[in-house]
Amino acid sequence: MARAWRPGAVSEMLARAAMDGAIVKGNRSIFSIIDNSVGSGRLLQFAEPEKHHLTGIDVDESLLVDVGQVVEEAGFNCNFESCGMEEISPHGFDVALINPPFSVHIESPLLSPYPCTSYGKFGPNTATVSHAYALAQAIDAAEVVVALLPTSWR
């Protein structure tokens, strides 16, 4: 039997579980978190400045400026960058919290060659869909990945 969840409740449950540090190996007091399509920062809203270093990537520069300002004013050590996920190669994060855009076709010579990439107009490994690429990138970037993905994509 399938169970319907409100997206807000699911994101809170997943974010809190990932941010408590219990699922990350090692004895650290600060955990690094990345969201490679951060949007309004909803998944980061449960982070605590004394426990989390935040990194957010998004193509919407004006939204990212607003989110970055709020996060900095709250006392976080953070890094927010306005670019597409195909323009970065993140590594070394403790946790990736992602709720990527779904089914957006991406073609770029900057894509990393993940299993989800295919032959595109720039040659091998230059085409993909956004949600598959975001997940592959998050798996490559972090020790623990929490992803909100549609059930239709398996």
Side-chain angles (χ1 to χ4, degrees):
M1 174 185 229
R3 180 166 181 182
W5 292 86
R6 288 183 7 263
V10 171
S11 64
E12 178 179 1
M13 176 182 66
L14 295 176
R16 287 190 188 275
M19 288 184 198
D20 76 0
I23 59 176
V24 178
K25 296 176 188 168
N27 188 13
R28 296 183 290 259
S29 59
I30 297 180
F31 297 93
S32 57
I33 299 172
I34 185 170
D35 186 338
N36 60 4
S37 48
V38 71
S40 66
R42 185 177 184 133
L43 292 179
L44 302 177
Q45 69 182 321
F46 307 105
E48 300 173 43
E50 59 280 350
K51 292 182 181 179
H52 306 108
H53 175 250
L54 306 179
T55 297
I57 308 300
D58 205 281
V59 296
D60 187 337
E61 186 172 9
S62 63
L63 181 60
L64 201 58
V65 167
D66 293 342
V67 172
Q69 182 178 350
V70 169
V71 168
E72 284 181 1
E73 288 174 1
F76 283 93
N77 183 358
C78 60
N79 179 30
F80 287 85
E81 189 171 337
S82 178
C83 65
M85 65 182 101
E86 71 277 9
E87 298 175 60
I88 61 168
S89 296
H91 292 88
F93 288 89
D94 296 310
V95 177
L97 294 175
I98 66 168
N99 183 10
F102 305 115
S103 302
V104 176
H105 184 76
I106 300 171
E107 290 211 32
S108 171
L110 302 175
L111 291 174
S112 294
Y114 295 128
C116 63
T117 58
S118 61
Y119 199 93
K121 66 182 177 183
F122 300 105
N125 297 308
T126 62
T128 191
V129 292
S130 54
H131 57 281
Y133 191 80
L135 179 59
Q137 185 179 69
I139 290 169
D140 200 29
E143 186 176 325
V144 174
V145 175
V146 176
L148 298 175
L149 299 168
T151 57
S152 61
W153 185 66
R154 295 175 199 233

